[in-house]
Every structure is written in C-alpha cells, then in structure tokens.
Amino acid sequence: MAECHPVGFQWVVEARYRGAKVFHIDPRFTRTSALADRYVPIRVGSDIVLLGALINHVLENELDFREYVLAYTNASMIVSEEYRDTEDLDGLFSGFDPETRTYDPATWSYEGAPEEAAAGERAEQMDHGREHADMGGPDQYGAGGASANPRPMKDPTLRHPRCVYQILRRHFARYTPELVAELCGISPEDFAELAETVTTNSGRERTTMWVYSVGWTQHTVGAQYIRAASILQLLLGNIGRPGGGILALRGHASIQGSTDIPTLFNILPGYLPMPHAHQHETLDDYLARAGGDTGFWGRKRSYMVSLLKAWWGDAATEDNDFRFDHLPRLTGDHGHYSTVMGQIDGTVKGYFVVGENPAVGSAGGRAQRLGLANLEWLVVRDLTLVETATFWKDGPELETGEMRTEDIGTEVFFVPAASHVEKDGTFTNTQRLLQWREKALDPPGDCRSDLWFFYHLGKLLKERITSGEIDRPLRELTWDYPEEGVHGDPSASAVLREIGGVGPDGRALSDYTELKPDGSTQCGCWIYCGVYADEVNQAARRRPGREQSPEAPEWGWAWPANRRILYNRASADPEGRPWSERKAYIYWDEKKGEWTGPDVPDFEKTKPPGYRPPEGALAEAALSGTDPFIMQADGKGWLYAPAGLVDGPLPAHYEPFESPVRNPLYAQQDNPARRIYPRPESPYNPVGAPRFPYVLTTYRLTEHHTAGGMSRPLAYLAELQPELFCEVSPTLAAELGLANGDWATIVTSRTAIEARVLVTERVRPLRIQGRTVHQIGLPYHWGWGSGGLVTGDIANDLMPLALDPNVYIQESKATTCDVRPGRRPRGRDLLALIEEYRHG
Amino acid sequence: MSRGTRERAVAPEAEFRSYYGRPVIKRPIWHVPHMPVYLYLGGLSGASSLTAIMAGLTGRPHLARTARIAAAAGAALGTGFLVAELGRPMRFLNMLRVFKPTSPMSVGSWILAAQGGLSAVAAASAVTGILPAAGDAAALATGVTGPLTATYTAVLVADTAVPAWHEGYRELPFLFAGSALASAGAVGMLAAPRTEAGPARAVALIGAAVETAAASALEHRLGLVGEPYRQGRAGRLLRAARALTVGGGLLTLLAGRSRVATVASGLSLTAGALCTRFGVLEAGRASAADPKFTVVPQRERLDSGAPAPSSGR
Amino acid sequence: MAGGGWFLRWPVIRQLRGQDGRGEAARSARTDALRPRVEEADSVARSVCPYCAVGCGQLVYVKDGKVSQIEGDPDSPISRGRLCPKGSASKQLVTHAGRQTKVLYRRPYGTDWEPLDLDTAMDMIADRVLRTRRDTWQQEHEGRVVRRTLGIASLGGATLDNEENYLMKKLYTALGAIQVENQARI
Amino acid sequence: MAERMGFFTDTSICIGCKACEVACKEWNQLPDDGFVFEATSYDNTAALGASTWRHVAFIEQQPVWMPDGDPMSHGGPVPHSGPMSHGGPMPDGGSMPHGGESVFEVGRDGRWLMSSDVCKHCTNAGCLDVCPTGAIFRTEFGTVVVQPDICNGCGYCVPACPFGVIDRREGDGRAWKCTMCYDRLRGGLEPACAKACPTDSIQFGPLDELRERAAARVDTLHAAGHTEARLYGESPGDGVGGMGAFFLLLDEPEVYGLPPDPVVPTRDLPAMWGWAGAAIATMAAAVAASFLGGRSR
C-alpha cells in the first residue's frame, strides 16, 4: 500500500498512531513492510492456505463473532445432500465435468426445493454448467450476486452436519499452521501471532480490516482469494462496520468507475448482465435469470428499463420490450484474451485502444502484438506514442525477425488524447467516491478528450447509417448532448446527468429507489442514480474535509446514495443497538423511528429491526429488519456461496497454473476450471519442470505507473527508477553467479528478457515442502517506447495466458521461470533459446 | 545497543559505517590547473611584493624592479585564473558586492583587488619611471597586501569541511607562505642579475625550508585525516614537490656562480611550489571523496564524549 | 528598498549603514520581489490525480494558457493536500516534450508515420467502423438472434472518465460490438 | 524578522516514496539528474546536489537468511546486511556484505530505513559564511538561500558545507540548493516537499514548535521500545549551532550518509587567521632576514 497508494497510506500511519497493529504479508519486503509492525513473507500463490488456516483457527476455537454470524450470515443454512466437498472428491466439488472443465453448480444449493422455482429457471439450476461458466460467473448475476433460496432450512445451533458452519469446519480442517509452514513458508510462530492478533482484534469492541490489491486478484483462483477473506471477515463480524471490511486498492484513477460503468464485455452499467443469446430472448427471460427477486436487486426491472430508456428514449416502449432487442447478445467468453486470439485468427478486424497499452501491459505480450499485426485497422488514443501504436515500427518481433514492417497490413490511426486537466468529468476512486474534475484549459493541437472522440464518432456514424434494420439501434440511440467550447466538446455534466437518472417530470432523480419499471424514468447507471440530485452535480461538491465529520459526506458523492460504508446496518446488533460504544456507527433511533448515524444508512431508513417480511414479498420488502446485506436475495453474508462462482462454493487451495510445487492437499493440482489458451501463441511452462525452478512475481514501484506510458516519459519519475531490475536473494545470486548491478536474463516458455540485478535480503528463500524455493520479483513498467526517457524489456511478455474462470483475470502474480547471468541473446538467437526451453 | 560494537567500529582499521561508501561532503569543484596555479601566482605575487620592498630599501634596484613586476604579473595573471574558475565569469565583480569577514574569499577578493591595483601601480612606475613616489608608496603598501595575498588562500582552503584541509589549518598558512617565498625567491634568482640575487636565493632557501617543514607536519601530525597527503595522487605530487623543493634548495646552496645551476634550482623550486599547490588540491579531493575522513574523526569525537561545541555566534 | 540608485543599493554601502552583510544587506531586488508563482495564476481548477485510485485532490494552476503548477488540494478529506511522486509529477505529465499532439497515420504496409488532419482521420475511422461492421455482421449465431459484430473490439484504460466509459459502452452496444474490454479486467 | 521556520523529518514514518524529490523539482523547475541505475537499494538519486534538493536514502538492514529459510543465527542481534564500512551492494557485484556488526537488533522482520535528506539551513551555515558575493543570505525566516541572480559560481560554498548539500550545476555555473521554497514562504505557503509528503514524515513549521514535537515523538518511540530513535540536528549546542532542518533517525547518522558530528568550518576561522598571521610574520621575517643577513654576509 505504501508502494502503490502512498497517499492512502497516511491513514495507516494515523491508525498506527492510535494503536493499530499492521501486518504486511507479501512475497517481498516492500516499502509497506518497512512501516508495518510485522512483516510476514509468503510464497506467491499460497494465500488461500493462509486464509484457510485462519478460518480453521477461528472455527476450531469457536472464536467467531457468534451473534453476528448467526444473525447476518448463512452459517446456519442447510446445504443439499447432493453436495460433495473437495474433501470428498480430492480437490473437486460435486458437479464437475472433466470434458468441459466446468461445474454444474446445481448440487451446491441449499436443501429443499426453491420456493420460487416456478418463476423461472434459477441460475443455479441451469442444466449446462458450460453456460454458467461462459457467462463470466458472478457478474452474470448482477450487483446482487446469484439468487438463492431466500428461506432455506436452518439450524440455529449450527450442529447440523450439513449446515454451512459445519461444512466450513470440515472443508478447512486440513488448513493447519503446519500446512501454512509447508506451503506458504510462514513459521508456526508467525502464524500464531497473526491469528491471535486478528481474532483478538475482532468482535464487539474491535475490528480488523484486510487490504489487498492485484496480489490477490491476478491468479487463476483470484476470485476465491477474495471469497476466503470474505469468509474470515464475516466469521469475525468485520463487514459493514467501521474499521472492518476487505478493501480493494485499485490501481487506476477510475478503474472502479470502469467496472461500475463498464467498458467490459459481460456487463452493462450498474452490474446488469449483458444478455446471453441462449438464455435471454426477451426482457422477461433476462430478468428471470439475472439474479434474485428479493432484496434491492429485486428491483432489477426498474434498473434495466431505466437504462434502456436512457439509451433509446422514446423509441423504447413497453410494447417493444423497451428495445431490449437492441442489445447484442453474448455467446461465451468475449474477454480481452479471447479477443486477442480472435485478432490472431482474423475474426477481429478493427480495434480501438483507448488509454491502454496491451503491447506492454497485458500478459503474454508477444500474442498481443501478433494480434495487433493481424488487424485491418487500429485506432490508438493516448498522450504519447505508446508501444501499442508503434509495434509495427519498433516492436521486439522485428528484432527477432518474426515480423517485418513491410508485411504488417494494419492501418494505424494515432489520435492524441486530452489529459486529465484538459477535460471535465468524474473519476470513481477505490472507495466508490465520484469526484468531478474541473477543466483547467483546452487540450493542445489535435488532442481531444475521449468523450469528444466517441461523441463525434457517434455523430458521424449516425449521419452515415441507412434505414436498414441493423442500423436501427444506432438510429434510435439518444445522442444529443449540448456542445461546449472551441472544439465542440459534448457536455460531460449532461452525460453525468443522464447517468444519474431523470424522472417523469424531467427532473434529476435523487435515489435509485425512485426508478420505475414502467419506462417513466431513465437512468444510465442505476447505482449512480442521485449523482445529479436536485439538479446539482453532487460529485463536484467540495466542502473541505476539515469542516466535516471523518466520513466527509459533502465531498464528492459515493455510490450508492452517497454511502461511505456498505452494508452498514451490520454495524448494529440485530436489535439495532451499536455492538459497542467504541464501534457505534449506524443504529436504530427508536424515538424517531429511523436508522441514524454519521453515514447514510445502507438500509431502508424507517424499516425497524423488528420488521419481518410477509409471505411472497418481493424486492427489499422481502428482507427482514435484521438482514443487512440488502443486495443479496436473502439479505445474508454468504460464508458459503450456493451459486455465483464457477469454480466452487468455497475457496480451496490450488497451486498456480505454473508452479514448482505439488499440491499436497488434493490430487487436483490447480484450479480445475481455470481458463487457458493452449495454442502456439500461448505456450506454458510444464508444472514442476526442472528447467523452470524459480517462482516469478511482478509488481509495481511507487515511482512508475503500470506499463509506463504515464511515467517513463517524465524525467522526474524516470530518473528515480531508470531501469528494469529483478530482485533476487543473496543466496540465489551466489548460486547463479549474479552480481548486484549486473545483468540477468529471466526465461519462461513465452520469452526471455533481461534486467539489471538487485541483490537484496528483502527477498528471502522460503522453505517449502522441505526444499528451498526462490522467488524473483520483477517490476513491469518498462517497454521500448511510449516516449520513454528510459526503456527496458517487458516483464509481462514472460507471463502465461492462464485466467481466473470467474472474472478472466490473468495469473500474472505467480509463475515459474529460469534465471541466467548476463544479457539475453538478440535476434534469432533469442528464439533459439526459447525453443530450447520450451522443449526442454 | 552494544557499545562494544561501536568501539570496534573505531578500531585502528578505521572500520566505520557509511551510506554505500558514498562521500558525506562534496568534492571541491575547483579545476586543474586554474585553482592551484592561482594559488601559486598569489603566493608569487605576495612574496615578490615583500622582496620588492626589501630590495628597494636595501638598494637592489634590479631585484626590486623584477620583484615588482613579478608581484604585479602574479596578481594580474592570478586574477585571470580566478575569473576563469568562476561558473559565471561575467559576474566577477560581484566579488566586491559585499565585504564578509567570515569569508576568506571575500576578504581575499578585497585583498587581491588591493594587491592587484597597488602592485600594478608599483610595477608600472618601476617600468616607466613615471610617478616614482606613487610607485614607491604603492609598493610599500603591498607590504601589507602582499603577504595577505600569499597566505589568505591557506585560510580559504582550510575554511572548508574538507577534513584534510580544515584540520591542516595550522600548517597550511606556513606551507603556502613557504611556497610563496620559494616561488618569489626562485623568480628573483632567475630574473635578477647575479649581483643582486643573493637575498632572493636566501628567500628561496628559507621558503623551501619552511615549505618542506610545513608539508612534513601536514603529512604526519594529522594522523588518519592526513592520509590523503601521503597516499595516492596527492601523495605522489607532494613527494615530487618535496624532492623538487629540497633539490632546488640544495642546488641553490651549491649553485654559486653557475647560471645553469641557478636556472635549474629556480625552475626546480617553482616546479616544487606548483606541485605543492596541485598536491594540496588533490589531497582535498581525495579527502572529500572517502567518507572515512569525515566520519571516523567525528565518530571518535562523539565517542570520547567531546562533541564539537557550537561556535556560539 | 528602491531609490538611491545602484550606489545606495550596493551591499557594501548598506553594510556601512548598519545592515547585516549575511542577511538584509545581501538581498537583491529580485529577491525582494519574490512571490510564489501560483499567486499569479489566471485560474485554478480543482481536479483529481490521474494515477492510482486513491483519488487525491489536485489544484491545477493556469497562467497564460499554460499549466504553471499542479499540487495537492488541502481541502480533500482523502489526501489532505498530499501527493505521491506520480501525483507530484502531474504537471510534467501534461506538459512534457514527449507528448504527442498531432494525429498520425500509418497506411497498411507503410514504413513510417504520415501526418493526417483530425477531421479526415475521424471520417476515415467512421468509414472503417461501418465497413467492418457490415462485413462482419452476425444476425444469428447457433440459431439464436445475436445481432452483433465480432469484427470490432475495444480496450479502454482505467483512467477514462465515467462519462467517457458511458458513451463508449452506449455507442459500442448500439453498434453491436461486444468485445469491449477495459484495464479493469487486467 | 519573522519566526524561524524549519523542517522536522521524522524518518520513522518515511515510506521512501520520493514525492518530496519530485514535488521539489516540479516547484523549483529543476533539471533531471540523468538516468542511472545505481543498484543501491531503491536509491537512484545517490545524493543531494545542484539539481536534487531532496534525496531519499534507502538502507536495508535485513536478517541474513539461509537457504533453510531461517535467519543465520538465533539469539542476540541478528546478523544483517546493513551498510558497514564501505557497505552496501559492492560495485564489483556479489551480495551485500554483512559485517555482522549490528548495532541494533533488526529482528526477524528486518528493517528498511528511509530518510529524506535536505539542506539543514544551519544556524551557523558554512556556505553562507564563506559566500564572497552575498549571493547566499539568511532570510527573514531564518533559512539560508542562494540568490541565482547574484551567484557567480565561485564554488567556495561547495566544500564549505559539512553535509555536502550545495553544489555547482554543470552548464549553468551557479551554485544551487534547497531554498525551503523561499518564494512559497513569502506567500504564506509551506514548502513543496512538506506539502506533498504523504505520511507527514516531512513536517514544516516554526522551529521551536517542531523541536517540541520531535522531542515528544522520541519519547513516544522510546516508550514503545524503539530506543534507537534519536534526534539529529535539533540541538543549538551542536557544531553548526542547530539545524533549521533536523531529523529523527533510527540509526547512527553516518548510516544515512550524514556526518555524525558536523562543525561549521568557520568556527575555527579566528584561529586560522591567527596561524595565517604567524605565517605572514614568518614571511616578513624571512624576507627581512634574507636581505639583512645578506648584507652582513
């Protein structure tokens, strides 16, 4: 966190001043470790073992926050008799189809027939696991997650052998401190201290928070890492409470916004799933299968219809399903890496790359560049000539002779972009806070904002389309935004207002509960509904922090409804009283008959703790006054996920796809559902191959930003970290003859790159399964271009195309490699070296 | 915390801790040959002024005239080298913007200005014969500015954080004074007719002796801090300086009537004086480049419980 | 301080008049006139750092149509005026010499960039979008209506504004382009 | 004269992000220092200089880990890889030497010390004392500032600084160093580095206040068992009369590249002139003797 989010880290320093104890768990001793109370080294890719052992520690010693667990989680729910755990099937859950490597999650569900089965097929009952997997897992169920029987059988004593609590106990029983020592390289004493600290700092009086970043997500089991942390935090009562939570530190200014209002293939704004050809012919089909009908997600028709109205305006009517047909349909994985394969195969002809640099920033860079070289046309928009724009001129494949400029048919348009000060608009930060940026000045030369580019491109397209049927969605698309300034920029505030929603009276809406299923409201992103409440750009509010409470509700605007802590109803006990004075946050004010506190209650303001839903209630009315997780169909925090994940209802430790270690827990070595691309452009290191003996991980440095396009051209940053380096322990350096400051070559099946050597005790050899495992760290900010004042080889070129099956994120935090002293070979010799390694 | 470790850290091997072996202080940026040549010329000018006065007073007109010219030329040429050393030569006059007693360079600038002006008047008068009274008065005045010109540079060099220079503040003025005398004596010997050159030889001899003695003290009294005077490039230069100075001195004694020997001894002394100045600069550079010269004495001072007190200004 | 000509301003004279030669007397006229350059800014925009997702407040000072300084916004309850090295380098990000400000065009099989007018580029891009869309249009797939194109893809960075992402997703969806991805996936 | 202002750099909360270095360069519009990989931990800046007015030092003090995953020895101070003698990564390669001379117990976790160095704005400042042009002066805030319109690049200040702070910039010819953002101070703003510092490791304020705050911080750290914490440069009784920019360090100053007991060179100036006077007298006597002795000969 100190490395990549230094300014956020000031709050960790503040917390330490107030007595917080900070553990830093990381394969390398980083700048964060330097300021932590304890540093715990860990082997990359083994975090579920550690988290699982903590869960086991909590369960075996009954250290869970029982009152919270009973009231707010699904611990007491009984799971279907057909469910089989990894303990039973040696690393697989029930429902696995080895042919397709996918799960049918039907057996994971709760006991008893779902009450609303007649309402339509439930997602968890789908016959085809393949489809379940194809659709991108959790996203497919929208913001509410998968639906599940909201009123399953329960055992409040938690003794029923098939209740979630007991299933958890059995599942995690083998995640012991000894296993942690064996697989993570963490000593039993260190584990004991961590476990003791986490558990004693949880409960009524205290909370523990976990902070993670891509060190947890860029794995073939990334989503399950987060699930494991969720289970632990729910057991300890650390969700929805101040000082608790699982905090994702996101690495880009509006990466949260880019998911909320996604430029992602599988979702629409507000986590509404993209319709699937095989399941969603009509709006009703779609709504029936897109998650539950209870909880606030039960209002999904309002959200979807309002979105369709925002896009197709008057053309969208009740009679025509609000133009639901205008939405193109998915038929499987259309994610980034599949798109790259489509480029190589020639199905993808044209490509827009907007403020992104896949030639350097994506895993398996060679495949990326092969794809770019096979396009008909490519549009790149950026501040500098990023490598993605110039690959045909100076890419590494030219040096090896794999490509020749004269043979590359890709037509390239480089259209320069405006910087963040040359346009107004909002970023959504890592805590879901929308902050409006004022425009400081006009962009220089041909530079234009992306808003300008896509608005004017849209206008040009609309001018040229025919009256044909395929052009109807474009023809009917609402595309009228006021133009401003010398370049005719579309008004960003008008766009934000459309996103925030407008009511039947033409006035901006103030809350997503005002959205209607009848087409009378329109809203571009329901979770952002209210960002323009009272016709005021709420994201532009700037009341100074020192004039406000710590929550600072009048600085910017947090979705949803300006809430700063999600599910904050859980900060009070079931009766609505604070769990303790010390941790009081949102509580029930009996006199006023409402929930109150320093934040906006994430609950219906006047729903009393004693409220019990009537039979057949829908949406939020179906949740009781003690159900804090209001987006969930059952209002509960899920310790066990009966549906929604494509690789199992519980996290299980699988080794990274490329690992030097055998999985001692199960016969199943790696995530059985992981997604790979076994084809010539995407070779893999064989598991346990002696020629790739070392563990490789990548990371960022404080001084640079991602692929370097925003840092390498800046002298003040480039001089601080001028060269790509690899961090190795002195032991490994001695073994290999690597000298500090000299060169080393790092090799995987993909390619070999060279880096300067930084010998440091901060990287420690770990004792794993009785042998020494060396880890090597590589920052990934370098490339050959981007106007960089400093250049270097591309760390991501080494990385495999192995993805988490839920979210299609690549495993770039854990792979295997070899290291050799000296610089890498050039030209054809490089190819020869890789050939040698590929075939052993 | 272990005191023992610290004590070990100041063992005779001068084991000490540092930041990647990087220097603590900055290396003097002054260039070769500008700076040492200026030091030489200042010394030559200053000591020549004294020689000129005494020669005048003792009725040695040729020696007096020669010395006046040497004083003026030394100051003028020296000023030239000084200006060339500046990062912004056009701003040379800023040297006279303030008068700062705390800055030997400021004091020296005023001294040099005076010495330059006075010695020029004295020399001009001697050469042209115009205004002899003014020339004599100016020459007499250089009796004050001359020796200051010759020695202020020692204070200038010593008034730095460079350990070999700073800790040598007792010896350096004598080294520079001796070197100046030897330089002036050598020029006197070379330029004045033999009949008048006797005192110049004596000046040169005494200068050589003082220079040699001061250099020796510098090398040996300072202990660890004096190491740069003994080792490396500076050590070689100073050894050469000693050989040339001692050799030149002996030759002066033995030269008698031999013109060749006189020239050889004069040149040898001049070369010795130059080597001394180059050696001092080199020693300063070496002293600044190795953190041990900064850290070890300071650490010893702290560990002996006698940290440097404030100057209390 | 003014008046009296150079002679009276000459520090030596000022020293003689009792000023400190290491302080007051040594000051130049330029020094006396020194002010922080942000005071001269024509405008100040309240902005947000474009690097990581902490969302630190920035103040962007503009003088004569150029950014003269970017620094932290002390009002921000998130960052309290502080910035990391990247945030602190933001002015260089928007003003550095390596920034590309002209449209460039590389024709198929071309060996170098060529200049291109922005309007022409927009027209050409629009033409290609429509052509590729027509050529690769899928009305049905595996017997189901899909009405889409797999011929056009997009990859966006996560420094895009919400408004930009919104228009992109809206336009692509209307075009039937589904392979729309973002750094958020990576 | 306004109140004396200063920096207190609390290195115990420095995260080595180098925001201070960049914020300083942006505000003062300094040139870059070249792009050199130094292989000295994360420090590629190397030292303060004419174009680098803040420099973050990185000192790795890690237990030496053996292949079996255990620290090399148990009990007592854990041997570590901190910089000893000419320590740190050796230019000839190989691993960092670990002299075994640990002053502090680094423990199993090890330490990575980071510290943002800056001009000390000494009470008795060598650079200011020796500057012949008056380019360097003491401001109304008690800080020491170079006036670029006056400096003629004589270079005297460079070796006169006991901390190696000030330097002459190649190509420019003038001497440069931290001004504590004198222009900003005149506008009531805090220096760019202190403003940017994410963790408030760099604190700016009236020096007296900072000294109190620092003393309290040391007490807190000592109470928490960090007895190695100590202040550097806060005492008006030290060899430079106290520093306007002082530090809380977690090891000896020399480990951070700071002189352990700095003295302003001009402290000995009267003595120096005294010895110069003696040398002048010697000169005069020598010349007189040469002439008078010659006559007698």
Side-chain angles (χ1 to χ4, degrees), chain A residues 264 354 411 464 470-471, chain C residues 105 123 127-128 133 157 169:
Chain A
L264 293 171
V354 187
E411 185 182 28
R464 287 161 205 231
I470 77 163
D471 287 340
Chain C
Y105 174 68
D123 279 334
D127 287 344
R128 277 146 189 79
R133 180 169 177 264
K169 183 74 176 183

Side-chain angles (χ1 to χ4, degrees), chain A residues 218 253 264 278 326 349 354 356 410-411 422 426 430 437 446 464 470-471 481 498 546 702 710, chain C residues 51 53 75 86 99 101 105-106 123 127-128 133 142 147 151 157 161 163 166 169-170 183 186:
Chain A
Q218 292 181 347
L264 293 171
H278 290 274
H326 281 5
K349 314 277 187 200
V354 187
E356 182 67 13
T410 310
E411 185 182 28
E422 294 151 3
T426 54
T430 198
R437 296 185 330 275
D446 293 340
R464 287 161 205 231
I470 77 163
D471 287 340
Y481 302 101
E498 177 177 319
R546 57 188 168 276
T702 313
M710 285 166 72
Chain C
Y51 286 96
D75 287 349
K86 293 188 284 282
R99 204 175 148 188
T101 59
Y105 174 68
R106 185 252 178 180
D123 279 334
D127 287 344
R128 277 146 189 79
R133 180 169 177 264
E142 294 170 355
R147 51 157 324 282
D161 294 349
E163 296 75 14
Y166 179 76
K169 183 74 176 183
K170 186 174 173 180
Q183 172 66 37
I186 295 157

Side-chain angles (χ1 to χ4, degrees), chain A residues 662-683:
Chain A
R662 278 275 155 209
N663 189 352
L665 272 170
Y666 317 114
Q668 182 60 41
Q669 164 79 4
D670 49 22
N671 186 347
R674 83 281 177 286
R675 175 144 306 205
I676 55 169
Y677 297 89
R679 41 186 287 168
E681 298 85 3
S682 168

Side-chain angles (χ1 to χ4, degrees), chain C residues 11 20-24 26-39 59 61 68-74 80-86 88-93, chain D residues 17-20 22-23 26-29 125 128-129 133-140 146-150 182-189 192 194-200:
Chain C
D20 179 4
R22 288 185 290 177
E24 192 58 37
R27 300 173 68 105
S28 72
R30 177 192 169 277
T31 297
D32 284 333
L34 216 52
R35 300 296 299 175
R37 67 173 176 274
V38 288
E39 284 183 358
L59 295 174
Y61 295 88
S68 64
Q69 170 72 355
I70 297 181
E71 59 186 64
D73 182 352
R80 300 191 287 190
R82 305 169 192 181
L83 290 174
C84 77
K86 293 188 284 282
S88 295
S90 295
K91 187 185 123 202
Q92 207 166 52
L93 173 73
Chain D
C17 74
K18 309 180 192 171
C20 48
V22 178
E26 278 283 17
W27 177 258
N28 294 297
Q29 301 173 310
L128 166 55
D129 282 352
T133 61
I136 306 182
F137 77 111
R138 189 169 302 279
T139 71
E140 61 271 37
V146 192
Q147 303 175 91
D149 52 329
I150 304 298
Y182 180 53
D183 49 354
R184 291 175 65 93
L185 261 53
R186 282 174 66 87
L189 306 174
K195 181 175 180 189
C197 181
T199 60
D200 225 8

